[in-house]
Amino acid sequence: MHDMESLEKDIEEIMAAARQYGLDHRDMHFEICPPEVLYSFGAYRMPTRFGHWSFGKAYQRIKTEYDHNLSRMYEMVINTDPCYAFLLQGNTRIQNRLVIAHALAHSDFFKHNAYFARTAPRTVLESMTVAAGRIRNYEQAYGRERVEQFLDAALAVQEHVDYHHSPGTGRRYPAGESASHSKNDVLGFIARFGHGLESWQRDILAVVREESLYFRPQLATKLCNEGWATFWHLKIMHHLELTEEETVDFARMHAQLVQPSRLRVNPYLLGLSIFSDIDRRWGRDTVFEARATCDDPGLLRNYLTEELVRKMDLFVFRRIGYEWRVVEKDWQTVRDTLIQNLFNCGHPYILVETGDFNGRGELYLKHYYEGVELDVHYLEKTLPLVHRLWGRPVHLETVLEEKEMLFSFPGDKVGKRLI
């Protein structure tokens, strides 16, 4: 257990080391949280947010993994100004020292990475609190089940927003603009032009869209952000004077964090490896430049080298018949496959083709196929939810087995046809 007096001294020492290395984090607030509170924050992704059953589901998953010692959430850092870092109650001193160094680097990343420039960190906690209060009022006025069903539909398409527009302002369509124009902000388009939406429903769509825009940079920079934080906690911990026992404990904890996986990319390991390689090849100025300008595809495209791919033994694999097989080890193919998987934060790219299909106000969406098919089961579950939001028949064009297909939901069941 880490006592408060030594914790305060450690925070001061680690902040001094961070400044010495050139990190420029926001003002920091550290709080010690019991596991139930920290996991609740992790499930909601923030200390305060509207309620939804999916957050409870996420909480149970995190708690179950903790109860069975499958994983442990040592801290959580949120993109606010001042920046809040929540430390798990019961952390040892060496665990807290590592996560404090890690949190300071996250705070520096939030402050300086270009993708976070529009996230309104000073007001986000207040705006989420106010929005949660409004949604609770809607539950009392219109019934909890009705509001929850509407939230189910809104959250099903929450990733399909145009994050080049600032949160807090909402997208403004020119007066008199026709609903037949193509848009890349599906949720914003529905909120603006959806048929029969009541004012409280448009407000919920606006809330979901604003929060999705706030979280979007975190999805777009997962590899960069975790790699950056791991790169700096490693340097800061080496800077501190540790006892022999603390050195062993730190090495064990760090090794668990960057342990490679045979089935997926560990963002802590790959991000750390890339920033370390940049530091070795091009120097510290380039390290800070990459932190300020890159999202995950940009970091991979610019700095994942052939030497690093071979050193980390990265490869492409896929299922062939009943077996998973390595199908490609060419470094450029490996790099391009990683980039493709992270494009649009890993979500399919869906655009609004028209909101007046067939001249009857039907919604026509198009999936821009780039070699990866949609999950048909998910598609057929999502179209009825989009219909619930739009209020009229909805259609989605995509490609399956190299054939152009149109899925439609007029209100009773999902159909499909070749086009």
mmCIF file of all heavy atoms in Angstrom, residues 236-258:
data_model
loop_
_atom_site.group_PDB
_atom_site.id
_atom_site.type_symbol
_atom_site.label_atom_id
_atom_site.label_comp_id
_atom_site.label_asym_id
_atom_site.label_seq_id
_atom_site.Cartn_x
_atom_site.Cartn_y
_atom_site.Cartn_z
ATOM 1 N N ILE A 236 11.229 7.558 -17.550
ATOM 2 C CA ILE A 236 11.130 8.198 -16.237
ATOM 3 C C ILE A 236 11.446 7.198 -15.125
ATOM 4 O O ILE A 236 12.144 7.542 -14.158
ATOM 5 C CB ILE A 236 9.718 8.805 -16.059
ATOM 6 C CG1 ILE A 236 9.535 10.000 -17.008
ATOM 7 C CG2 ILE A 236 9.479 9.219 -14.612
ATOM 8 C CD1 ILE A 236 8.135 10.557 -17.055
ATOM 9 N N MET A 237 10.975 5.969 -15.263
ATOM 10 C CA MET A 237 11.265 4.972 -14.222
ATOM 11 C C MET A 237 12.762 4.657 -14.169
ATOM 12 O O MET A 237 13.315 4.416 -13.088
ATOM 13 C CB MET A 237 10.450 3.698 -14.472
ATOM 14 C CG MET A 237 8.954 3.882 -14.277
ATOM 15 S SD MET A 237 8.499 4.375 -12.595
ATOM 16 C CE MET A 237 8.820 2.867 -11.682
ATOM 17 N N HIS A 238 13.420 4.656 -15.318
ATOM 18 C CA HIS A 238 14.872 4.443 -15.313
ATOM 19 C C HIS A 238 15.593 5.634 -14.688
ATOM 20 O O HIS A 238 16.714 5.497 -14.174
ATOM 21 C CB HIS A 238 15.378 4.216 -16.749
ATOM 22 C CG HIS A 238 15.033 2.873 -17.281
ATOM 23 N ND1 HIS A 238 15.046 2.572 -18.629
ATOM 24 C CD2 HIS A 238 14.645 1.732 -16.659
ATOM 25 C CE1 HIS A 238 14.699 1.306 -18.805
ATOM 26 N NE2 HIS A 238 14.450 0.779 -17.627
ATOM 27 N N HIS A 239 14.949 6.798 -14.723
ATOM 28 C CA HIS A 239 15.536 8.026 -14.166
ATOM 29 C C HIS A 239 15.470 8.011 -12.630
ATOM 30 O O HIS A 239 16.345 8.583 -11.960
ATOM 31 C CB HIS A 239 14.772 9.232 -14.719
ATOM 32 C CG HIS A 239 15.210 10.541 -14.157
ATOM 33 N ND1 HIS A 239 16.229 11.288 -14.717
ATOM 34 C CD2 HIS A 239 14.770 11.256 -13.081
ATOM 35 C CE1 HIS A 239 16.395 12.395 -14.020
ATOM 36 N NE2 HIS A 239 15.516 12.412 -13.026
ATOM 37 N N LEU A 240 14.441 7.338 -12.080
ATOM 38 C CA LEU A 240 14.255 7.338 -10.627
ATOM 39 C C LEU A 240 15.235 6.374 -9.958
ATOM 40 O O LEU A 240 15.700 5.413 -10.567
ATOM 41 C CB LEU A 240 12.811 6.934 -10.278
ATOM 42 C CG LEU A 240 11.697 7.780 -10.904
ATOM 43 C CD1 LEU A 240 10.326 7.222 -10.492
ATOM 44 C CD2 LEU A 240 11.823 9.243 -10.469
ATOM 45 N N GLU A 241 15.485 6.645 -8.699
ATOM 46 C CA GLU A 241 16.327 5.722 -7.928
ATOM 47 C C GLU A 241 15.428 4.666 -7.300
ATOM 48 O O GLU A 241 14.653 4.947 -6.391
ATOM 49 C CB GLU A 241 17.094 6.481 -6.850
ATOM 50 C CG GLU A 241 18.160 7.423 -7.404
ATOM 51 C CD GLU A 241 19.001 8.037 -6.291
ATOM 52 O OE1 GLU A 241 18.792 7.637 -5.127
ATOM 53 O OE2 GLU A 241 19.830 8.896 -6.594
ATOM 54 N N LEU A 242 15.530 3.438 -7.799
ATOM 55 C CA LEU A 242 14.706 2.333 -7.320
ATOM 56 C C LEU A 242 15.566 1.348 -6.535
ATOM 57 O O LEU A 242 16.754 1.168 -6.833
ATOM 58 C CB LEU A 242 14.054 1.597 -8.492
ATOM 59 C CG LEU A 242 13.215 2.444 -9.469
ATOM 60 C CD1 LEU A 242 12.649 1.552 -10.570
ATOM 61 C CD2 LEU A 242 12.099 3.172 -8.733
ATOM 62 N N THR A 243 14.960 0.725 -5.541
ATOM 63 C CA THR A 243 15.658 -0.342 -4.834
ATOM 64 C C THR A 243 15.712 -1.569 -5.734
ATOM 65 O O THR A 243 15.030 -1.636 -6.771
ATOM 66 C CB THR A 243 14.923 -0.706 -3.531
ATOM 67 O OG1 THR A 243 13.641 -1.271 -3.883
ATOM 68 C CG2 THR A 243 14.726 0.517 -2.645
ATOM 69 N N GLU A 244 16.499 -2.543 -5.346
ATOM 70 C CA GLU A 244 16.602 -3.764 -6.149
ATOM 71 C C GLU A 244 15.244 -4.450 -6.271
ATOM 72 O O GLU A 244 14.847 -4.908 -7.342
ATOM 73 C CB GLU A 244 17.618 -4.716 -5.504
ATOM 74 C CG GLU A 244 17.860 -5.972 -6.322
ATOM 75 C CD GLU A 244 18.954 -6.830 -5.711
ATOM 76 O OE1 GLU A 244 19.766 -6.300 -4.903
ATOM 77 O OE2 GLU A 244 19.001 -8.022 -6.020
ATOM 78 N N GLU A 245 14.505 -4.479 -5.151
ATOM 79 C CA GLU A 245 13.183 -5.112 -5.176
ATOM 80 C C GLU A 245 12.218 -4.341 -6.066
ATOM 81 O O GLU A 245 11.453 -4.923 -6.842
ATOM 82 C CB GLU A 245 12.611 -5.192 -3.753
ATOM 83 C CG GLU A 245 11.267 -5.884 -3.678
ATOM 84 C CD GLU A 245 10.737 -5.933 -2.246
ATOM 85 O OE1 GLU A 245 11.447 -5.464 -1.331
ATOM 86 O OE2 GLU A 245 9.612 -6.426 -2.057
ATOM 87 N N GLU A 246 12.255 -2.994 -5.996
ATOM 88 C CA GLU A 246 11.385 -2.180 -6.842
ATOM 89 C C GLU A 246 11.733 -2.355 -8.317
ATOM 90 O O GLU A 246 10.852 -2.366 -9.180
ATOM 91 C CB GLU A 246 11.507 -0.699 -6.441
ATOM 92 C CG GLU A 246 10.842 -0.365 -5.113
ATOM 93 C CD GLU A 246 11.091 1.085 -4.712
ATOM 94 O OE1 GLU A 246 12.139 1.650 -5.108
ATOM 95 O OE2 GLU A 246 10.248 1.626 -3.978
ATOM 96 N N THR A 247 13.030 -2.483 -8.618
ATOM 97 C CA THR A 247 13.453 -2.672 -10.008
ATOM 98 C C THR A 247 12.879 -3.955 -10.585
ATOM 99 O O THR A 247 12.393 -3.993 -11.720
ATOM 100 C CB THR A 247 14.994 -2.698 -10.091
ATOM 101 O OG1 THR A 247 15.514 -1.471 -9.571
ATOM 102 C CG2 THR A 247 15.455 -2.886 -11.525
ATOM 103 N N VAL A 248 12.901 -5.014 -9.790
ATOM 104 C CA VAL A 248 12.344 -6.298 -10.246
ATOM 105 C C VAL A 248 10.828 -6.180 -10.436
ATOM 106 O O VAL A 248 10.277 -6.643 -11.450
ATOM 107 C CB VAL A 248 12.683 -7.419 -9.236
ATOM 108 C CG1 VAL A 248 11.947 -8.710 -9.603
ATOM 109 C CG2 VAL A 248 14.180 -7.650 -9.198
ATOM 110 N N ASP A 249 10.153 -5.542 -9.463
ATOM 111 C CA ASP A 249 8.690 -5.386 -9.580
ATOM 112 C C ASP A 249 8.316 -4.553 -10.801
ATOM 113 O O ASP A 249 7.364 -4.872 -11.517
ATOM 114 C CB ASP A 249 8.130 -4.719 -8.314
ATOM 115 C CG ASP A 249 8.170 -5.653 -7.127
ATOM 116 O OD1 ASP A 249 8.311 -6.879 -7.342
ATOM 117 O OD2 ASP A 249 8.068 -5.157 -5.989
ATOM 118 N N PHE A 250 9.077 -3.463 -11.032
ATOM 119 C CA PHE A 250 8.803 -2.631 -12.198
ATOM 120 C C PHE A 250 9.018 -3.420 -13.488
ATOM 121 O O PHE A 250 8.195 -3.361 -14.414
ATOM 122 C CB PHE A 250 9.701 -1.387 -12.203
ATOM 123 C CG PHE A 250 9.810 -0.737 -13.546
ATOM 124 C CD1 PHE A 250 8.701 -0.134 -14.127
ATOM 125 C CD2 PHE A 250 11.004 -0.769 -14.257
ATOM 126 C CE1 PHE A 250 8.780 0.441 -15.385
ATOM 127 C CE2 PHE A 250 11.087 -0.198 -15.504
ATOM 128 C CZ PHE A 250 9.975 0.406 -16.073
ATOM 129 N N ALA A 251 10.116 -4.158 -13.561
ATOM 130 C CA ALA A 251 10.413 -4.930 -14.770
ATOM 131 C C ALA A 251 9.304 -5.948 -15.044
ATOM 132 O O ALA A 251 8.890 -6.140 -16.198
ATOM 133 C CB ALA A 251 11.763 -5.636 -14.622
ATOM 134 N N ARG A 252 8.789 -6.566 -13.982
ATOM 135 C CA ARG A 252 7.718 -7.550 -14.153
ATOM 136 C C ARG A 252 6.443 -6.875 -14.678
ATOM 137 O O ARG A 252 5.800 -7.381 -15.603
ATOM 138 C CB ARG A 252 7.441 -8.249 -12.824
ATOM 139 C CG ARG A 252 6.379 -9.354 -12.923
ATOM 140 C CD ARG A 252 6.038 -9.934 -11.570
ATOM 141 N NE ARG A 252 7.193 -10.578 -10.945
ATOM 142 C CZ ARG A 252 7.760 -10.152 -9.822
ATOM 143 N NH1 ARG A 252 7.276 -9.081 -9.212
ATOM 144 N NH2 ARG A 252 8.796 -10.784 -9.310
ATOM 145 N N MET A 253 6.105 -5.723 -14.088
ATOM 146 C CA MET A 253 4.880 -5.022 -14.489
ATOM 147 C C MET A 253 4.992 -4.511 -15.926
ATOM 148 O O MET A 253 4.049 -4.637 -16.715
ATOM 149 C CB MET A 253 4.647 -3.863 -13.510
ATOM 150 C CG MET A 253 3.314 -3.186 -13.651
ATOM 151 S SD MET A 253 3.123 -1.933 -12.358
ATOM 152 C CE MET A 253 1.598 -1.154 -12.922
ATOM 153 N N HIS A 254 6.131 -3.942 -16.261
ATOM 154 C CA HIS A 254 6.324 -3.423 -17.621
ATOM 155 C C HIS A 254 6.303 -4.566 -18.639
ATOM 156 O O HIS A 254 5.707 -4.429 -19.724
ATOM 157 C CB HIS A 254 7.649 -2.667 -17.699
ATOM 158 C CG HIS A 254 7.965 -2.156 -19.066
ATOM 159 N ND1 HIS A 254 7.341 -1.053 -19.617
ATOM 160 C CD2 HIS A 254 8.828 -2.622 -20.020
ATOM 161 C CE1 HIS A 254 7.803 -0.861 -20.834
ATOM 162 N NE2 HIS A 254 8.707 -1.786 -21.099
ATOM 163 N N ALA A 255 6.911 -5.689 -18.286
ATOM 164 C CA ALA A 255 6.940 -6.829 -19.209
ATOM 165 C C ALA A 255 5.529 -7.350 -19.474
ATOM 166 O O ALA A 255 5.202 -7.750 -20.601
ATOM 167 C CB ALA A 255 7.823 -7.937 -18.635
ATOM 168 N N GLN A 256 4.678 -7.353 -18.449
ATOM 169 C CA GLN A 256 3.295 -7.787 -18.653
ATOM 170 C C GLN A 256 2.566 -6.845 -19.605
ATOM 171 O O GLN A 256 1.759 -7.274 -20.431
ATOM 172 C CB GLN A 256 2.562 -7.835 -17.308
ATOM 173 C CG GLN A 256 3.036 -8.963 -16.402
ATOM 174 C CD GLN A 256 2.414 -8.890 -15.010
ATOM 175 O OE1 GLN A 256 1.849 -7.862 -14.618
ATOM 176 N NE2 GLN A 256 2.520 -9.979 -14.261
ATOM 177 N N LEU A 257 2.862 -5.541 -19.485
ATOM 178 C CA LEU A 257 2.183 -4.548 -20.319
ATOM 179 C C LEU A 257 2.552 -4.700 -21.786
ATOM 180 O O LEU A 257 1.704 -4.536 -22.669
ATOM 181 C CB LEU A 257 2.546 -3.139 -19.826
ATOM 182 C CG LEU A 257 1.806 -1.969 -20.472
ATOM 183 C CD1 LEU A 257 0.336 -1.991 -20.087
ATOM 184 C CD2 LEU A 257 2.433 -0.640 -20.064
ATOM 185 N N VAL A 258 3.808 -4.988 -22.071
ATOM 186 C CA VAL A 258 4.271 -5.039 -23.469
ATOM 187 C C VAL A 258 4.425 -6.474 -23.973
ATOM 188 O O VAL A 258 5.102 -6.707 -24.967
ATOM 189 C CB VAL A 258 5.599 -4.265 -23.634
ATOM 190 C CG1 VAL A 258 5.416 -2.805 -23.277
ATOM 191 C CG2 VAL A 258 6.712 -4.892 -22.781
#
